[in-house]
Amino acid sequence: MLLKITQTVRMVVLVVLLLLVDHTHSFQPLFSSKGNSTTHRDITQRAVLIKTAQVCRDIAAEEGWGFSLTIDDSLTVEKVQRACSSTGTSTSVLSTVRYQTSIAIMYFTNALVDVVFALSEEHHFDDETFTGGRDVITAGVFAVKSSVKQENYGAGRLVLGQVCHTLQDFYSHSNWVELGNKSPYAALIKPDQTLENLAGPSVPTCRNCTDGNCENNLLPDLQQQGLLTSGYFNLFSSEKPAGKCSHGGSFDKTSRKDPIGGISKDDTGSSHGSLHHQAADLAVNATVELLEDIRLAVGNKKFLQLMGLSQSTVLCFVIDTTGSMSDDIAEAKRVSFEIIDSKRGTQQEPSAYILVPFNDPGFGPLVMTTNADIFKDSINALTASGGGDIPEMCLSGLQLALTAAPSTSEIFVFTDAPAKDAHLKSTITALIESSKSVVTFMLTDVLASRRRRSLQGVRPRAMSQADAQLYRDLARASGGQAIEVTKDDLSKATTVIEDSSASAVVTVFQVVSNPGKPDNFSFTVDGSLKNMTAYITGKSSLTFSITSATGVTQSSSESSGPLATLTTTGNLRRLSLNAENQTGLWEISVNSNDPYSVKVIGQSSVNFIYNLVEAHEGAHGDYSLKEGRPLTGGNATILVTVTGSDTVTVKEVTLFDSSGPTEVNGTLQSVGSGSFLVTFTDVPAGDFVLRLKGEDSATSRSTHSSFQRQASTQIKPSSISVTTQTNNTSAEPGSTISVNFTVAATSNGVVNETATGTFTIQANNDRSYTSTSPSTLTIASGGKAEGTVTLTVPSSAASGTDVTLTIEAQNADATDINYAVLRFSVAAKVTDTTSPTCQVVSTTNCTSSSSACSSLQWMFVANITDGVNGTGIESVSINQGNGTLNTSTAVGMDGMNITVVSYSASCCSQSVRLAAVDNVGNVGICEGKAVTSTGGRTLTVSHWLWISVALSIIWR
Ligand SMILES: *[C@@H]1O[C@H](CO)[C@@H](O)[C@H](O)[C@H]1NC(C)=O
Ligand SMILES: *[C@@H]1O[C@H](CO)[C@@H](O)[C@H](O)[C@H]1NC(C)=O
Ligand SMILES: *[C@@H]1O[C@H](CO)[C@@H](O)[C@H](O)[C@H]1NC(C)=O
Ligand SMILES: *[C@@H]1O[C@H](CO)[C@@H](O)[C@H](O)[C@H]1NC(C)=O
């Protein structure tokens, strides 16, 4: 009910607000319309870069490698990733795609708070909701920490972005800056601290602005007493408690009632716009502090994973384990071991390993680990058994991999059987489009004929051409390949797995011709590309020739020619291009009347990330991430960010459909930091991929500056619109979430109010949680129909688990489909909000008389406890200090568990900072310092402090 009201309200808002001046109700979310204002996107990115760089600097100091980057506001994604990567001696090509993608997800979910929680005061610290706002932050931080603990980094990022929004808004919407504070309000991220000096409900806080000038509208009394307040905000009513400040701006009706005016610092044009940059800078520092709290709770390594600072890929296998698969399993094992053993300890070592077995009726469990040995053990433990009875649960296994793997992963599926769960095809397609992961199928023993042969009534275990088509379609939707080989030849085809596990692999060109026809294709090779490989799949009768930029040609009959080394296995031809003379315009000419595909990859830092976005007019938000497919005949806007070079100019971004061929040109609008909003108008129906062309003016790449890149995932416009209305992003174990959704028929990108029809609805989740959904929805009038999907989280679900729900709507003749993909994290309510405390037992000293500090040791002993209602100490680690830490447990006189820490270090490193973390992620800091004595008198002084204690003093 509440949701319905919100919807209606929002519709009204949009209509009303379209007519008004563009004034937002928080820092602007993504892009600044006021030339020089700082957005949530800027604040989030700056904070992430600073904290990541600081963590890398600490790791460098610990491990003894050089870190020379200056940490200031001029950091870029490239600079930080490069500085963080200089650990090894490797000269591998650097890719920032993962890091950029992670940052983008964080600023998109940050911006989404303005849409989803538009009318929630506490999500924006409006209306003096300080306790409510703090609860939003701390509950979110607990959820992030538990996701990270479960290594669910993707889910962690979604929540982290949202939490940052609320935290950042505090600095714009309260009078913290006006009170003269120069550092963040640390109590906002510490649930065990009291929020002090809040202006009470009846305390007046503002007076009228004079002639539109709000510079001195905060009451002097309030300021003198150092009382904290925030502005009231309402779109519809001017009601507010007497004497209270408003947010301000043309959307805020309360600001037109006495006291008139507002105090927001959302942008330079706001009521307190002259303090905008100060507020934004403090919001950056506050975000850095929040990230530091998470880093202390989860440790450096997991923190960097959460930030997405890994340039290596994941190794992800989905394997059929029925009887006939023993050769395939052995090969999957061989190739993965080879990759692991050759890359272990290098920067190309996969950042995670994922394994999903499937057969019939079972699939899973999914093993996801960052430990290569655990993966090896898991793949070693796979046995091929049972079988004969095709088909298998292939797509269910693939669904688990697609929701667990980071976006843009490459997933390899090994099978020799058709899918029993083919009804999941549309779900898998939705997950592929939403994750942009690439799925390549290694299909063994596909029958050449269209019909499965039957031998004495027993169906042989083999796949027909029709069965294989499902896999080909999914491969095509994702930009992967369907490789069909005999079991004997599989080991030659798995080279594609090794190719894809190289660092910084980019797609230069890809096309699928179906039905096939003879054609010529050209593509540009730039100077940044290395180790170029071309793949051509198709019938054995297919012939081709390839021509280099220098006019040299090699035909398909030459296995080792002037341009490339060619190997043919099953339907796959792999061309490894020679390193010489690569730059310039190449041509591939294919002669075949059967379906075929061509794919050209290489290694390069220069690549791009992209996300479909939609505009929001009005008070809340400018753009947000758009789930699902764009609407046929409508406009599609894509945010494109070029990675890997600060010297790139984007010339052209198009949507390309090879079957036409159709190419739709986008118009580009630069939005800073190498990003562009690309708008396509009247997008026709089709199977498009995004192509980008540009120039790189880097002098080091003088050879050839034009470049082209292509996205892997297909973009398929749809005439069906599926939108969801939910403000749940996390769910407690044992609870049921309801998701209301609307299905609409559209034409030319807008709802067709005269349309009627019945849509088939499917709702699937990757955890097999109980879920209800209507099986159909019928549009009777107005072009829209509404439904509700429920999802019940079992009470046994662990905090930090995440669940991905896909809601699909298909039209009656099954020619069109659209979907929404929603992720929820499971988060149990946290009741232990107190940080571990530390009591120093003893500290020994260092004598300064000695010249050789390295020959002397000092020692620090402390007792750490988590309080009576605490969840218990989980870990204690050295945050600063160069010594050895030992911990043991004891039971105190009151029966409380005590973690006894003893730290010893050389007198060259005379201070220590320990971080104690309890089971839900509360962090306590314990500091000790050896005090230099001059001999004779023994002085044992220890310096320890608890953030919790210290801060309550600071904020008094
Ligand atoms: C933009 O803002 C920055 C502070 O973030 C300031 O240093 C700079 O002078 C401003 N530029 C303009 C043109 O106002
Ligand atoms: C933010 O933190 C940095 C580093 O601690 C400091 O130099 C800077 O002055 C802080 N900015 C504000 C606005 O307090
Ligand atoms: C790329 O090519 C170079 C030289 O041809 C080779 O040494 C290197 O191992 C290749 N890198 C990868 C990841 O294949
Ligand atoms: C490379 O280019 C040089 C000069 O343009 C030419 O002589 C040579 O044949 C080319 N080699 C190949 C393999 O294309």
Side-chain angles (χ1 to χ4, degrees):
M1 196 54 200
L2 185 67
L3 286 169
K4 280 231 181 73
I5 294 171
T6 311
Q7 268 311 100
T8 321
V9 159
R10 222 172 269 149
M11 296 290 295
V12 175
V13 175
L14 288 189
V15 174
V16 173
L17 300 186
L18 270 171
L19 308 168
L20 300 173
V21 207
D22 176 31
H23 266 185
T24 57
H25 155 227
S26 77
F27 288 120
Q28 289 172 304
L30 297 173
F31 314 116
S32 171
S33 57
K34 302 262 171 330
N36 200 25
S37 295
T38 308
T39 62
H40 278 290
R41 168 172 166 250
D42 301 328
I43 295 170
T44 306
Q45 171 151 330
R46 264 163 66 187
V48 167
L49 294 178
I50 289 171
K51 193 70 244 172
T52 317
Q54 287 172 350
V55 172
C56 290
R57 185 183 58 193
D58 290 355
I59 294 174
E62 214 171 280
E63 295 179 354
W65 46 273
F67 185 92
S68 54
L69 185 68
T70 310
I71 301 179
D72 58 19
D73 278 344
S74 70
L75 295 178
T76 63
V77 172
E78 266 71 39
K79 281 187 194 169
V80 173
Q81 176 122 35
R82 187 161 297 123
C84 289
S85 306
S86 41
T87 138
T89 49
S90 114
T91 54
S92 69
V93 190
L94 196 75
S95 166
T96 60
V97 165
R98 267 172 205 288
Y99 193 27
Q100 287 275 16
T101 304
S102 305
I103 293 174
I105 286 301
M106 289 187 267
Y107 63 64
F108 275 124
T109 56
N110 180 324
L112 201 61
V113 173
D114 271 335
V115 181
V116 177
F117 300 102
L119 302 175
S120 155
E121 318 68 75
E122 60 261 26
H123 281 84
H124 310 279
F125 277 108
D126 291 331
D127 301 9
E128 303 187 309
T129 52
F130 295 109
T131 308
R134 201 257 299 266
D135 288 350
V136 166
I137 294 171
T138 54
V141 169
F142 282 126
V144 174
K145 288 172 180 172
S146 61
S147 292
V148 173
K149 210 166 157 181
Q150 304 274 345
E151 304 200 341
N152 270 327
Y153 301 106
R157 273 172 220 131
L158 296 181
V159 181
L160 179 55
Q162 296 195 343
V163 171
C164 288
H165 185 101
T166 301
L167 180 69
Q168 292 162 3
D169 269 1
F170 171 81
Y171 298 92
S172 172
H173 296 173
S174 75
N175 64 333
W176 183 258
V177 173
E178 289 85 340
L179 286 172
N181 289 297
K182 298 288 178 222
S183 51
Y185 190 13
L188 294 181
I189 59 171
K190 288 282 176 186
D192 55 352
Q193 287 179 30
T194 34
L195 298 170
E196 293 185 331
N197 297 339
L198 306 182
S202 57
V203 175
T205 55
C206 265
R207 57 190 175 198
N208 281 344
C209 299
T210 45
D211 302 330
N213 180 348
C214 290
E215 237 163 61
N216 291 307
N217 61 339
L218 285 160
L219 292 178
D221 269 7
L222 179 91
Q223 295 292 95
Q224 269 152 30
Q225 293 171 40
L227 295 181
L228 193 59
T229 186
S230 74
Y232 281 73
F233 180 84
N234 203 311
L235 290 163
F236 312 109
S237 153
S238 60
E239 287 309 307
K240 65 177 170 184
K244 288 294 187 185
C245 300
S246 286
H247 176 279
S250 54
F251 289 133
D252 175 21
K253 281 207 170 158
T254 71
S255 67
R256 276 172 253 161
K257 181 184 163 178
D258 274 11
I260 290 169
I263 61 167
S264 114
K265 293 154 284 294
D266 287 348
D267 58 52
T268 51
S270 303
S271 304
H272 283 190
S274 60
L275 298 173
H276 165 74
H277 286 295
Q278 232 171 297
D281 289 349
L282 266 182
V284 171
N285 284 14
T287 308
V288 171
E289 264 188 16
L290 177 101
L291 295 174
E292 171 65 9
D293 177 70
I294 294 171
R295 180 264 272 255
L296 288 174
V298 303
N300 288 342
K301 209 173 151 205
K302 286 189 171 172
F303 178 79
L304 292 184
Q305 293 258 19
L306 177 67
M307 295 298 104
L309 194 82
S310 161
Q311 45 170 313
S312 61
T313 53
V314 299
L315 189 62
C316 181
F317 286 176
V318 178
I319 304 183
D320 185 341
T321 57
T322 26
S324 55
M325 286 294 292
S326 53
D327 291 351
D328 309 54
I329 293 172
E331 176 54 21
K333 190 170 129 184
R334 187 199 63 79
V335 68
S336 60
F337 281 30
E338 192 169 297
I339 290 170
I340 291 168
D341 296 339
S342 66
K343 296 181 191 250
R344 205 192 274 254
T346 73
Q347 286 196 21
Q348 291 103 57
E349 178 170 358
S351 58
Y353 301 89
I354 297 172
L355 180 66
V356 188
F358 68 90
N359 46 52
D360 181 24
F363 60 93
L366 170 134
V367 176
M368 177 158 79
T369 175
T370 49
N371 183 333
D373 292 319
I374 293 179
F375 179 79
K376 279 188 164 185
D377 290 347
S378 308
I379 203 164
N380 257 333
L382 291 184
T383 48
S385 64
D389 57 334
I390 53 173
E392 317 296 343
M393 302 294 276
C394 179
L395 302 192
S396 302
L398 180 53
Q399 182 184 18
L400 290 185
L402 278 165
T403 54
S407 63
T408 72
S409 291
E410 184 145 8
I411 297 170
F412 293 94
V413 180
F414 294 79
T415 187
D416 62 0
K420 183 176 191 173
D421 44 9
H423 66 278
L424 285 177
K425 182 180 178 185
S426 55
T427 306
I428 297 298
T429 308
L431 292 173
I432 284 171
E433 290 175 11
S434 146
S435 67
K436 304 194 186 87
S437 285
V438 175
V439 185
T440 286
F441 292 88
M442 311 301 286
L443 306 175
T444 49
D445 293 352
V446 177
L447 294 181
S449 78
R450 295 204 156 263
R451 198 169 297 163
R452 219 177 276 135
R453 283 161 301 187
S454 166
L455 194 67
Q456 293 158 352
V458 180
R459 293 211 292 177
R461 205 189 136 76
M463 222 182 310
S464 71
Q465 287 293 320
D467 295 331
Q469 193 57 40
L470 168 66
Y471 297 138
R472 292 184 197 124
D473 291 347
L474 291 174
R476 180 179 179 192
S478 73
Q481 307 186 74
I483 295 166
E484 298 162 32
V485 291
T486 61
K487 290 198 186 277
D488 290 344
D489 278 346
L490 182 61
S491 65
K492 290 180 215 146
T494 50
T495 325
V496 299
I497 302 175
E498 291 170 50
D499 293 345
S500 82
S501 72
S503 54
V505 174
V506 300
T507 304
V508 176
F509 174 79
Q510 185 164 18
V511 72
V512 176
S513 186
N514 184 13
K517 62 174 197 299
D519 214 339
N520 296 325
F521 309 100
S522 60
F523 57 91
T524 302
V525 177
D526 60 277
S528 76
L529 283 165
K530 299 206 171 60
N531 296 29
M532 304 272 305
T533 308
Y535 306 102
I536 300 171
T537 64
K539 282 260 174 79
S540 54
S541 57
L542 177 150
T543 60
F544 67 88
S545 66
I546 179 163
T547 305
S548 74
T550 46
V552 180
T553 294
Q554 180 175 340
S555 80
S556 45
S557 59
E558 299 169 83
S559 64
S560 186
L563 299 177
T565 312
L566 168 67
T567 42
T568 304
T569 317
N571 68 341
L572 176 73
R573 294 148 193 84
R574 176 181 180 274
L575 289 133
S576 172
L577 303 195
N578 300 337
E580 255 183 275
N581 296 352
Q582 284 188 340
T583 62
L585 193 67
W586 285 59
E587 199 170 275
I588 291 182
S589 164
V590 182
N591 191 0
S592 175
N593 288 307
D594 293 301
Y596 61 87
S597 73
V598 178
K599 179 172 184 170
V600 181
I601 62 168
Q603 289 176 279
S604 168
S605 298
V606 179
N607 203 357
F608 70 101
I609 67 165
Y610 67 99
N611 287 287
L612 201 59
V613 295
E614 63 187 330
H616 292 275
E617 293 90 351
H620 309 296
D622 44 8
Y623 284 85
S624 65
L625 202 55
K626 179 173 165 39
E627 275 292 357
R629 296 176 166 175
L631 296 177
T632 316
N635 291 354
T637 306
I638 296 179
L639 179 63
V640 170
T641 304
V642 180
T643 68
S645 175
D646 298 330
T647 49
V648 154
T649 322
V650 176
K651 296 280 187 207
E652 183 183 298
V653 181
T654 60
L655 284 173
F656 176 74
D657 180 355
S658 57
S659 65
T662 312
E663 195 152 15
V664 185
N665 263 297
T667 46
L668 306 180
Q669 181 198 346
S670 172
V671 289
S673 319
S675 299
F676 298 83
L677 274 175
V678 185
T679 305
F680 300 92
T681 46
D682 305 330
V683 181
D687 293 340
F688 296 98
V689 285
L690 204 62
R691 277 189 174 176
L692 182 142
K693 290 183 179 169
E695 302 275 338
D696 189 351
S697 57
T699 44
S700 58
R701 298 188 186 127
S702 54
T703 36
H704 197 89
S705 64
S706 293
F707 71 93
Q708 76 174 69
R709 297 289 182 269
Q710 185 168 320
S712 301
T713 320
Q714 282 189 346
I715 297 176
K716 302 181 198 193
S718 164
S719 293
I720 306 169
S721 145
V722 178
T723 50
T724 56
Q725 297 92 43
T726 176
N727 50 19
N728 287 306
T729 44
S730 58
E732 286 183 31
S735 70
T736 296
I737 315 171
S738 293
V739 179
N740 293 350
F741 66 100
T742 307
V743 175
T746 70
S747 53
N748 299 324
V750 292
V751 175
N752 177 354
E753 289 179 7
T754 59
T756 54
T758 296
F759 295 87
T760 311
I761 308 297
Q762 259 202 89
N764 286 302
N765 73 83
D766 61 333
R767 300 269 170 206
S768 307
Y769 289 172
T770 306
S771 173
T772 63
S773 153
S775 57
T776 59
L777 274 188
T778 300
I779 295 178
S781 66
K784 289 185 182 182
E786 296 186 352
T788 303
V789 169
T790 68
L791 181 69
T792 302
V793 180
S795 43
S796 60
S799 274
T801 312
D802 71 322
V803 53
T804 304
L805 174 68
T806 316
I807 303 175
E808 302 151 41
Q810 188 172 42
N811 63 359
D813 52 3
T815 51
D816 194 3
I817 198 162
N818 207 341
Y819 58 84
V821 176
L822 298 122
R823 273 173 186 262
F824 301 96
S825 29
V826 176
K829 206 169 175 57
V830 172
T831 49
D832 171 15
T833 54
T834 48
S835 305
T837 51
C838 164
Q839 211 171 8
V840 177
V841 175
S842 64
T843 312
T844 63
N845 54 357
C846 288
T847 37
S848 65
S849 53
S850 171
S851 52
C853 63
S854 59
S855 65
L856 294 171
Q857 292 273 314
W858 69 286
M859 202 162 166
F860 171 76
V861 180
N863 289 343
I864 297 182
T865 53
D866 194 35
V868 262
N869 297 321
T871 44
I873 303 297
E874 190 191 69
S875 68
V876 181
S877 57
I878 303 172
N879 177 238
Q880 270 163 33
N882 206 353
T884 325
L885 178 70
N886 281 307
T887 61
S888 60
T889 50
V891 178
M893 288 202 283
D894 50 2
M896 195 134 70
N897 285 334
I898 300 174
T899 302
V900 183
V901 297
S902 55
Y903 172 86
S904 60
S906 93
C907 283
C908 303
S909 166
Q910 295 197 7
S911 66
V912 65
R913 194 167 186 262
L914 302 174
V917 183
D918 68 16
N919 274 298
V920 291
N922 290 299
V923 182
I925 299 290
C926 200
E927 290 187 308
K929 200 176 174 81
V931 167
T932 307
S933 81
T934 42
R937 200 162 57 98
T938 307
L939 188 70
T940 302
V941 182
S942 69
H943 170 75
W944 62 274
L945 109 120
W946 276 111
I947 278 204
S948 52
V949 175
L951 290 177
S952 59
I953 294 166
I954 294 171
W955 302 129
R956 214 182 23 199

